[in-house]
Amino acid sequence: LDDPAIKEMAEKIANDPSFKEVTQSLQASMGAGGMPGMPGMPPGGAPGAGGMPDMSQMDPSKYMEAMSGMFQNKNFMEMAERLGKTIIEADPNMANMMKTMQDPSYKEKVESAMAAMKDDPELR
């Protein structure tokens, strides 16, 4: 992930207006503390925040509204897709895993294993 191209794409996404809107909405719905590490927040969060915010204060409808707007933004989705593909292509293990998961026989194996687990009395 030290690839300059990946960093550049991530910065473009972080500066995308729809992504910024989601970030601001999440910060507002979580209160003044925000989330440590999110754009616009100091690495440790707000002074005295002490880690993760109280998620019970978050308004799910505002979050969903912001996320929907972001996912409907064609430019954002194209940037996110390019970033994802670049990250996957940069890691041979990830590329192999994605190739395996796209194989129809893999889906059948997973579905068969899930069905077997549902029927396993020890897992009930």
Side-chain angles (χ1 to χ4, degrees):
L1 295 179
D2 292 330
D3 184 336
I6 292 174
K7 287 181 181 181
E8 181 182 337
M9 283 187 261
E11 287 173 9
K12 283 182 182 178
I13 288 174
N15 291 321
D16 180 79
S18 60
F19 183 78
K20 283 184 175 183
E21 182 182 332
V22 170
T23 301
Q24 290 168 349
S25 175
L26 287 171
Q27 288 173 348
S29 67
M30 291 180 189
M35 261 181 95
M38 285 185 72
M41 292 300 301
M52 292 296 290
D54 180 4
M55 298 303 279
S56 66
Q57 301 300 313
M58 189 173 139
D59 182 347
S61 63
K62 287 183 181 177
Y63 171 78
M64 290 304 295
E65 183 179 320
M67 290 297 287
S68 293
M70 184 176 69
F71 287 129
Q72 291 174 6
N73 180 320
K74 183 180 177 186
N75 290 334
F76 175 82
M77 293 304 294
E78 287 173 357
M79 285 189 294
E81 187 174 338
R82 278 195 308 272
L83 176 61
K85 284 182 178 180
T86 302
I87 290 171
I88 289 169
E89 290 168 359
D91 181 351
N93 292 328
M94 182 66 78
N96 286 335
M97 182 180 74
M98 293 303 292
K99 184 177 178 182
T100 299
M101 292 177 73
Q102 292 173 353
D103 182 354
S105 66
Y106 176 78
K107 179 183 176 191
E108 292 171 10
K109 289 176 188 176
V110 170
E111 288 174 349
S112 174
M114 293 299 289
M117 287 180 12
K118 286 180 184 178
D119 294 336
D120 188 335
E122 291 182 19
L123 296 177
R124 289 184 182 191

